[in-house]
Amino acid sequence: MRLWIRRSAARASLLTAMAAVCLVVGCLAITMIGAVMLTQAPAVRETLSHAPVRTSGVEAQTPVEDDRAAQDAAVHRRVASLFPGLGMRIATRVDTTPLGLSAADAAKAGVASVVLLQDDAAVSDAIRTTSGDAAVGDGAVAIQDAAAKRFGLAVGDAITIPSSNGDVTLEVTATWLPRDPAAPIWFGDPSVVRGEADDAVGPFIVDAATLARFSTVPIVNWIVTSPDDIAPAEVSTLASGFDRLPAALGADPAVTSSQVTVVGDGAQTAHSMQDAMDAAASVLPLPVAILAVGTVLALVLLARLLTDVRAAETTLLRARGAAIGVVVRATAVESTVVSLVGTAVGTGIALLILVLVYGRMPPPWVAVVPPLLVVVAAVAVGAAVAFGAARSALGAAPESGRARSAVSAGLTVLVVLAAAFALWRFLGEPASGVSDAAAILAPPLALLAAALIGLAAFGPLARVFDAIGARAHRFDVTLPARQLGRGLGFFTAPAALVVLAIAAGVLGAGYQGTWTAFNRSAAIAVNGSDLRVDTASVGPLRTAGDSITAPVYAALPGATAALPVMVVPAAIGDAQVSVVGAASSRLAAVEGVAAASLDLAAIRAALPAPRTAGEPALPRGAAALDVSTSTNGAAAQATLWLCDDGGELIPLAVPSSGSVRVDVPAATGRWRLVAVDVTTGGAGTWTLDGLGAVSPGGTTALLGSASGWKVIPEPFGTPAGATAASSGIGMQTPSLIGTTARLMPGTAVAPAVVLTDAFASAHGQSRGSSVDVEGDWWSVTADVTGTVPVVPGTSEDRSVLFDLPTLQRAILRASSTPTGANQAWVASDDPGAVLPLAQRVSGGSASVTVADTAFAARFVGSAFVGLALGGLAVIALAIIALAAVAAALLRRRRNEIVVLRALGFSARQQVRTRRAELSCIAIAAGVLGALAGMVVTWLVAPALARRTVVNAPDALPAPVAVDLVWLAAAVVVAAVAAASVIAVYGGAIRRQAADTEYREETR
């Protein structure tokens, strides 16, 4: 036993290096795996706590049954069975479908219907009164504050609502606002803040007895949300429950005798979280595999160096009768002790880091499995190398003086084929879904294959060095070239580690850069811009107050631009599509970093914005219009339609005759008068006599620029007898009282539309086709002028894009009820700072969302930590290997220094030549590693980024980008560490050269 202990003590430096390898690998393996495991729970919690209720939950709706208590109990039972152990929350609200208002009230409020809400304890807790008493009795109503202002109602007034059971007159006893518009009970309903949504005013709160006086059947709404402390392992249960909820409620007769409608994105959010966790897990094999390969290479190198320095004693032991098994067992025990010490220290450090950073311990297996695998690898490598050395100890195998190949051709071919198959699986699979093992291992296999191909180049490189040494006549060139040419095989392991380290650094920088850019592009592409203000209104435009007023948001501190946008559902044939309308000439101002991925230049070329001649244009900064009208023979009411350069459309009501000044909101660019509606009171004429834009510089006359205005029959079916005035803007009104006619300049031109590639392919559409787009309140026939992978502002692959100013004019020509812009896309360098300002401007009547780059980062950010740690670990292993080789060279070539000194070569010359050898190896391996990393980055980074940004549109391109900070850090760390080893190596050579007492025979 003592012999083996002394044998180990004699090689303490190499065994210490082996323990250091085990320490580094064990520590970083636990840290990177633990980081991924420990970040999932906070990511899930943060996602659920910050998401709006419409995003994180669902709302189930069905008519109220006779036994409400049994109906509620059945829903609670179903939810409990679908979400076992999750403690789901259920809020309940009873309201009505929109009920028609009287003609007088509809005209006063500017909407056609009203929504009633049944009073109960939950509703009372969710509101605060702004006037009156919130407690409502039979025949009383509490009206939402903004809705009351629309009607001009106050406490004590009465309002009559028609019903087939007889008109119901209600006394106003209170006005109210929500305590928290984001509370689950409201499920994001914008009407509770602004008093109106989708052409219905309200809600009006009444008690159950009053509600029963109406002929409508009330609707019960159950809002199902999850608690914020859902564990990562429970996310799949959450997703499955949301998926099955509609069918389960609809099939339960105790819940409904009709049908259940379920709305909300709870299922999508749960699936996105699960996909994000799967994505993070799919990235983890990359740093783990890099670390595993580096570990094996480092252990093999150290084991070979150890057997080299023990060659003589191993031969002596074998000659004196020691069996091969004895030598192998002794080496295995030695490797076990050394690796256990190293991994134990590394495990302790890793657990301390995880507790300090994340506040808790990882699962027990994380602290056991990686160190155990490191110990097994160290013992297996040590025993295998010792076995080979012991078996050949008494043989006559002479060393070859020529460079051996860095890796065998067979191994290289095998790995390349495996990587090619894995890449085929990886690149061929869709972006979503769970990948198989081959696809998951594609990035590390590709990196290993590229590194092996790079190492294969060391064979030809050795011949190059040999040729240089043969032709050179300078000592400081010939000697290092000859040494490298004939001894390159000795540097294989450290060279392999350097190649792997640099390649991993390049891939890490490429993946980080590509992922960051793609995540940002995807978030902006889906959100529309850095911020999106969404009123969620898809109804007709009634008043100027219904407009989004994008310039108000553009003027906020920190905002750089804002654009009005229309996003509404529509149909093309039998296919449902999302229609996005935005000024094509101004999209680039709000898209920012997403512009390249969205190819805005192609969009602008496909969606021209032609000007219509004869439209009077208001000067920039105009604040009001002076309007003069006249009638002859019959009264008339007129509405002026203004459209700005961004496509925002507003109606301005003017009297039948006389002069009036009407305020004009700020415009995106300039306002233009694009249409005039005239409601007649009988036969006669109506004329717009004067039109002047009031701005700080004075009043500008506009009517002189009006030309070509005529009656458009399509919107209102205007009688053929109605004709425009001979000049200016005016018309002969028909005799039919109440008839509305619309006047517009120019002629009808089909608007251009761009389709997504997926929709065009699925429905056989192409450039030059014509499509009929049917909105809820309008329809147009459009010409297809191009296709794009993704339409901004939506993640739907069935989407179409119009130039909004062009679309608004086409809608005015075809429909009596145009739809206004319902979103504002706001660009900002600091969206977080602009968010509260935008929310304050919207007054709570619109949802304001920031382009969500945080969602993917919450789940995948730890994978980047793992990738950085994996790269750092391989750099550390490469430096350890380089240092071990340097130490071995100091021992092997000690006699060379004496000989060269005797031949007259100075210590400085010897240091320079020996440093040149290591420097050439490090530089060559670094260059090969960089080339290998670039190839692998180009192959896998876009697909890897696409798989780990789970909320990105499938068709959005992911161009390769490089994180220069990451790359520079990796290169600098590797270069400084390698330079330090080479400098220390040179110092040791200088000390050896200064030792004039050294003699080989007395060593």
Side-chain angles (χ1 to χ4, degrees):
M1 175 65 69
R2 275 205 225 155
L3 170 65
W4 301 109
I5 293 176
R6 291 177 62 190
R7 184 171 182 259
S8 297
R11 307 303 174 192
S13 59
L14 281 174
L15 294 177
T16 301
M18 183 179 294
V21 168
C22 295
L23 186 153
V24 169
V25 173
C27 177
L28 294 183
I30 293 173
T31 303
M32 69 173 68
I33 297 173
V36 171
M37 300 295 296
L38 293 176
T39 54
Q40 302 308 306
V44 171
R45 184 168 55 251
E46 188 174 356
T47 298
L48 293 176
S49 62
H50 286 76
V53 64
R54 186 175 286 272
T55 300
S56 61
V58 298
E59 182 180 61
Q61 307 167 334
T62 194
V64 170
E65 298 291 329
D66 294 336
D67 191 343
R68 265 290 314 283
Q71 192 177 23
D72 280 341
V75 170
H76 281 74
R77 285 196 305 272
R78 284 291 182 181
V79 170
S81 66
L82 291 172
F83 303 90
L86 299 190
M88 301 295 285
R89 301 164 180 167
I90 304 176
T92 307
R93 185 184 75 250
V94 176
D95 54 21
T96 67
T97 56
L99 306 176
L101 289 168
S102 66
D105 284 334
K108 185 185 300 183
V111 292
S113 54
V114 62
V115 171
L116 304 181
L117 172 63
Q118 180 176 307
D119 187 29
D120 58 25
V123 171
S124 297
D125 290 341
I127 66 172
R128 60 180 178 86
T129 56
T130 55
S131 63
D133 185 358
V136 294
D138 190 13
V141 62
I143 302 182
Q144 198 277 346
D145 190 75
K149 293 175 181 176
R150 274 180 174 261
F151 286 101
L153 295 173
V155 173
D157 293 339
I159 183 172
T160 299
I161 301 176
S163 172
S164 60
N165 294 341
D167 294 351
V168 180
T169 300
L170 303 174
E171 180 186 354
V172 179
T173 59
T175 59
W176 61 271
L177 286 173
R179 294 184 185 274
D180 179 10
I185 192 171
W186 306 123
F187 201 64
D189 183 1
S191 69
V192 300
V193 174
R194 66 172 186 251
E196 180 272 335
D198 298 336
D199 205 32
V201 73
F204 285 13
I205 300 177
V206 298
D207 66 0
T210 302
L211 188 61
R213 292 162 61 183
F214 291 89
S215 57
T216 185
V217 177
I219 303 297
V220 58
N221 304 267
W222 296 282
I223 297 90
V224 182
T225 57
S226 66
D228 297 341
D229 58 352
I230 293 290
E234 296 171 327
V235 171
S236 60
T237 302
L238 185 67
S240 174
F242 279 136
D243 286 339
R244 295 182 291 154
L245 183 64
L249 294 181
D252 190 338
V255 173
T256 183
S257 58
S258 178
Q259 61 180 7
V260 175
T261 301
V262 177
V263 296
D265 297 327
Q268 180 180 342
T269 298
H271 282 293
S272 293
M273 289 193 296
Q274 187 62 57
D275 290 344
M277 289 188 290
D278 292 340
S282 71
V283 176
L284 188 59
L286 177 55
V288 169
I290 292 171
L291 185 58
V293 172
T295 301
V296 172
L297 288 174
L299 290 174
V300 168
L301 170 66
L302 293 174
R304 286 178 56 187
L305 291 176
L306 194 59
T307 57
D308 284 349
V309 298
R310 287 174 170 173
E313 58 192 67
T314 301
T315 301
L316 183 60
L317 287 171
R318 291 282 289 117
R320 292 185 175 181
I324 294 177
V326 173
V327 176
V328 172
R329 280 195 298 273
T331 303
V333 171
E334 178 183 71
S335 300
T336 301
V337 173
V338 170
S339 59
L340 280 175
V341 171
T343 53
V345 176
T347 299
I349 295 173
L351 294 178
L352 179 62
I353 292 172
L354 292 174
V355 170
L356 290 176
V357 174
Y358 300 104
R360 56 199 177 96
M361 294 283 286
W365 69 267
V366 175
V368 174
V369 175
L372 181 61
L373 293 176
V374 173
V375 171
V376 170
V379 173
V381 169
V385 174
F387 175 79
R391 189 177 61 175
S392 61
L394 300 180
E399 288 191 14
S400 171
R402 294 289 176 181
R404 295 187 296 268
S405 173
V407 290
S408 69
L411 176 62
T412 300
V413 170
L414 182 63
V415 173
V416 169
L417 290 176
F421 174 76
L423 282 172
W424 171 69
R425 295 288 303 163
F426 180 74
L427 299 175
E429 285 193 338
S432 60
V434 178
S435 303
D436 60 21
I440 290 175
L441 291 176
L445 279 175
L447 191 65
L448 179 58
L452 289 177
I453 292 173
L455 281 177
F458 271 78
L461 191 61
R463 290 190 288 273
V464 171
F465 282 131
D466 211 5
I468 292 174
R471 291 179 174 81
H473 299 290
R474 290 177 51 189
F475 165 78
D476 55 355
V477 175
T478 300
L479 184 60
R482 285 288 193 180
Q483 289 289 352
L484 291 174
R486 299 183 179 185
L488 194 61
F490 187 73
F491 298 98
T492 297
L497 284 167
V498 172
V499 170
L500 190 63
I502 299 301
V506 173
L507 176 58
Y511 174 44
Q512 167 75 9
T514 303
W515 183 91
T516 301
F518 182 64
N519 186 37
R520 181 73 173 144
S521 295
I524 291 179
V526 172
N527 201 58
S529 188
D530 298 301
L531 290 97
R532 179 177 64 195
V533 182
D534 187 0
T535 66
S537 175
V538 296
L541 190 59
R542 303 286 187 182
T543 68
D546 295 335
S547 64
I548 193 71
T549 321
V552 174
Y553 297 98
L556 293 175
T560 57
L563 189 67
V565 180
M566 179 198 296
V567 181
V568 294
I572 297 179
D574 295 332
Q576 297 298 310
V577 298
S578 291
V579 170
V580 178
S584 60
S585 61
R586 296 173 179 266
L587 266 176
V590 295
E591 292 299 333
V593 297
S597 296
L598 293 171
D599 196 4
L600 295 186
I603 289 176
R604 184 169 183 175
L607 296 177
R611 296 293 185 193
T612 302
E615 294 178 346
L618 281 66
R620 296 179 187 276
L625 274 177
D626 284 340
V627 183
S628 297
T629 61
S630 62
T631 62
N632 180 15
Q637 181 179 344
T639 300
L640 309 183
W641 291 95
L642 302 184
C643 185
D644 67 13
D645 295 341
E648 189 153 2
L649 186 69
I650 60 169
L652 299 177
V654 297
S656 59
S657 63
S659 298
V660 67
R661 174 171 288 186
V662 291
D663 292 333
V664 175
T668 302
R670 304 172 66 183
W671 288 112
R672 299 174 189 275
L673 180 63
V674 295
V676 176
D677 287 353
V678 180
T679 302
T680 68
T685 62
W686 177 89
T687 306
L688 180 61
D689 299 316
L691 187 66
V694 181
S695 58
T699 301
T700 304
L702 304 176
L703 201 56
S705 60
S707 63
W709 285 72
K710 58 186 177 182
V711 174
I712 307 299
E714 289 82 6
F716 297 99
T718 306
T723 60
S726 57
S727 63
I729 301 176
M731 66 174 292
Q732 296 178 358
T733 58
S735 60
L736 186 63
I737 297 176
T739 298
T740 301
R742 179 166 294 158
L743 296 91
M744 293 183 71
T747 57
V749 177
V753 65
V754 168
L755 313 179
T756 58
D757 293 333
F759 180 81
S761 175
H763 295 83
Q765 302 291 344
S766 60
R767 184 183 179 91
S769 302
S770 180
V771 293
D772 292 325
V773 184
E774 299 281 344
D776 289 341
W777 301 92
W778 51 268
S779 62
V780 296
T781 299
D783 292 335
V784 179
T785 55
T787 62
V788 292
V790 174
V791 167
T794 176
S795 59
E796 301 291 334
D797 58 2
R798 295 186 173 189
S799 305
V800 300
L801 178 64
F802 285 93
D803 175 68
L804 185 55
T806 306
L807 176 62
Q808 292 289 31
R809 288 165 171 81
I811 292 175
L812 284 168
R813 286 188 175 276
S815 173
S816 61
T817 51
T819 301
N822 54 5
Q823 295 184 7
W825 293 355
V826 186
S828 173
D829 295 329
D830 188 2
V834 179
L835 176 62
L837 303 178
Q839 290 173 327
R840 188 155 52 245
V841 168
S842 72
S845 63
S847 64
V848 185
T849 56
V850 174
D852 188 7
T853 59
F855 176 80
R858 288 186 203 119
F859 292 92
V860 186
S862 58
F864 290 115
V865 174
L867 195 56
L869 292 176
L872 183 63
V874 178
I875 291 175
L877 295 177
I879 298 307
I880 292 173
L882 200 62
V885 166
L889 287 174
L890 288 173
R891 289 190 301 270
R892 291 180 60 170
R893 297 172 65 180
R894 181 67 177 85
N895 292 337
E896 178 183 304
I897 292 177
V898 178
V899 174
L900 292 175
R901 186 179 60 215
L903 293 175
F905 294 103
S906 67
R908 177 177 295 182
Q909 287 178 303
Q910 295 191 55
V911 169
R912 187 166 60 246
T913 58
R914 296 275 288 276
R915 281 178 175 173
E917 296 173 16
L918 280 186
S919 297
C920 286
I921 290 297
I923 293 172
V927 171
L928 292 173
L931 293 174
M934 286 189 288
V935 171
V936 176
T937 299
W938 178 76
L939 285 173
V940 307
L944 198 58
R946 185 178 300 285
R947 287 169 179 270
T948 47
V949 181
V950 296
N951 51 359
D954 291 342
L956 186 68
V960 175
V962 177
D963 188 321
L964 296 180
V965 174
W966 182 308
L967 181 61
V971 172
V972 168
V973 168
V976 170
S980 300
V981 170
I982 294 172
V984 172
Y985 176 57
I989 296 171
R990 183 177 288 107
R991 287 191 295 273
Q992 286 183 346
D995 182 9
T996 58
E997 301 298 323
Y998 174 82
R999 294 173 62 85
E1000 172 65 18
E1001 63 270 20
T1002 60
R1003 179 169 60 96

